[in-house]
Every structure is written in C-alpha cells, then in structure tokens.
Amino acid sequence: MAKNVAMKFDPKKFQKDQIPFFIIMIPLCIFMALPLVYLFSTAFKPLNELLEFPPSFFVKNPTFKNFTDLLTRSGSTGLPIYRYLINSIFVSLAVVILSVLFSSMAGYILSKKQFRGRKVLFEVNTIALMFVSCAVVIPRFLIITGLGITNTIWAHILPLLAIPVGLFLIKQFIDDIPNDLIEAARVDGAGDFYIYIKIIIPLIKPALVTVAILAFQSAWNNTETAMLYVSNEELQTFAYYLGTLSGAGNAVSGAGVSAAAALILFLPNLIIFVIMQSKVIDTMAYSGMK
C-alpha cells in the first residue's frame, strides 16, 4: 500500500493528479517572470521605444546601442566604466570571502564552545535581525569616521561584513552536528582549526552558499557606502555609477544607458542564484524544520 502511494505521488513522473498543481503554478511562474522579461526587453529598446507612451512591454526593434553607449560613457571625472566594475567586483569578492569566513567561525564558537556570555552574544545577534540598515546609519557613520576609513576601500567592505541572518543560519546548521563527532576528533588529537576545516565546513556547505549569496547581493547592489562614506570617484562602485546615469547630462538621452546598466547590475545576482538555488532551498528547508 505504501509503495503504491509513493508511486502515485512521484514528483519525477507526470501524472494526472499533478494537473491541478500545474494549473496553479504555471500562471504564477509566468506572472513572477514578467519583471525579468521586461528588464531584458527594456535594455535592448532603442530610444524612441523607451520614450513612447503608452510603453510597450516587448522590444520591437532590438539594438545593442544602449550597451555600446554605456561602454563609451565615462564618469563625472572621466573615469571609464570598467573602473567602477573592477571596484564592485573587488568589493563584492572581499565581502563574500570575509563574511563567510567570519560567520562560520563565529557560528562554530557560539555553537560548540562553552564560555561566559555565549548566549548573550547570540541574543544580541538575534536582536540585530530586527533592525533595518537605515536604522543604524548614524551609529555606523560614527564608527566608520572614528576608525578613520572614510574615502578608503575599507569603507565599502567593513560595514557589510556583519550579516546577522548569516550567523543565525550557520549556527543552526552547526547545532545539528553531533558533539560526539567533534569529541572523537579531539580524542584523535585534532585541534579547533582542524575540526573547523575538516568537519564543520564540509557539513554546512548549504548555509555557507546562502550566506555567500546574501553577502554578494548586499555588496554588489550597495549604494549607501558610496553616498555617505566615499567621495573619491576612483573608489566608487558600479551600483553608485548606475544611480548617477539618469542625472548625468540629460535624463532623456541617458534612458537607454540606464536600462543597459540596470541589466548588467542585475545579471550577476540572477546567475549566482540560478547556479546555487538548490543549496539555498536546502538551507531554508532546514531552518524551517529547526
């Protein structure tokens, strides 16, 4: 009987019982995909289609002129676009690597090490989940200016390293690792660093991937740092440069360039999520069960 039920609801095979789910999910998926289609379509529209009213959803005469204009356009100080892209890539990679490293190390300590104040520190991290970024702008500004890192590349990196939700997810994963496994490694002479590298990291890969995606999105799309802490044009990022396009010179003539830049800014987020989506789903499902 159980075997027949399992076969009846096998998700890998199409069956008549799945038709109601397709009826609901296919229109919903199409509706959710419309913004993506419009973003791609707009990036290839010529100027006359971008300015027509009512606006058309699909491009009629696709062109690459928006992208060529973007590549030849320079910033207010004459910097080429690739300089902003290089800054964004460097900042994003640094934030991803350091965020994953610090979150995993902190998660291991808070989960498996016993010391006074451990629960208090984790509660502080949990409370931090309630605060949006705009609520801590002033304290963050005071800290960054106090550290003396304004107008440096570190102003882009350091404020984004603390990801409370990332630490929370990683600790949830590490909590489920049996203490007997760690104790057995200690009996064999393994130290904390060996346990962290050889046992903890391989068992929490889904959580690490999720934190990496969150860190990349926060760094790649970040404009707050450039507006508040960095005035040196050579240190600005591509997201900030995108925000200046509509006001650069003429907003009408810059519409096509802005559309192309918006697509370029969005593509890395889409590509990374598509590649890593299975790990993200595993993390969310696991957190829900916990």
Side-chain angles (χ1 to χ4, degrees), residues 39-40 42-44 50 64-71 73 81 84-85 88 220-221 237-246 254-269:
L39 179 64
F40 278 86
T42 303
F44 293 96
L50 286 170
F64 286 95
K65 187 176 186 301
N66 296 333
F67 294 93
T68 56
D69 290 345
L70 176 63
L71 294 176
R73 184 183 287 255
I81 184 177
Y84 301 99
L85 282 171
S88 286
W220 183 257
N221 301 320
T237 58
F238 185 70
Y240 172 82
Y241 175 67
L242 172 59
T244 64
L245 288 177
S246 58
V257 175
S258 298
L263 179 59
I264 294 176
L265 187 66
F266 171 75
L267 275 179
N269 295 285

Side-chain angles (χ1 to χ4, degrees), residues 40 70 93 114 134 161 176 185 195 209 213 226 238 241 248 253 263 275:
F40 278 86
L70 176 63
L93 289 177
Q114 301 295 328
C134 61
L161 295 185
D176 201 48
I195 294 172
V209 171
I213 293 175
F238 185 70
Y241 175 67
S253 62
L263 179 59
I275 295 175

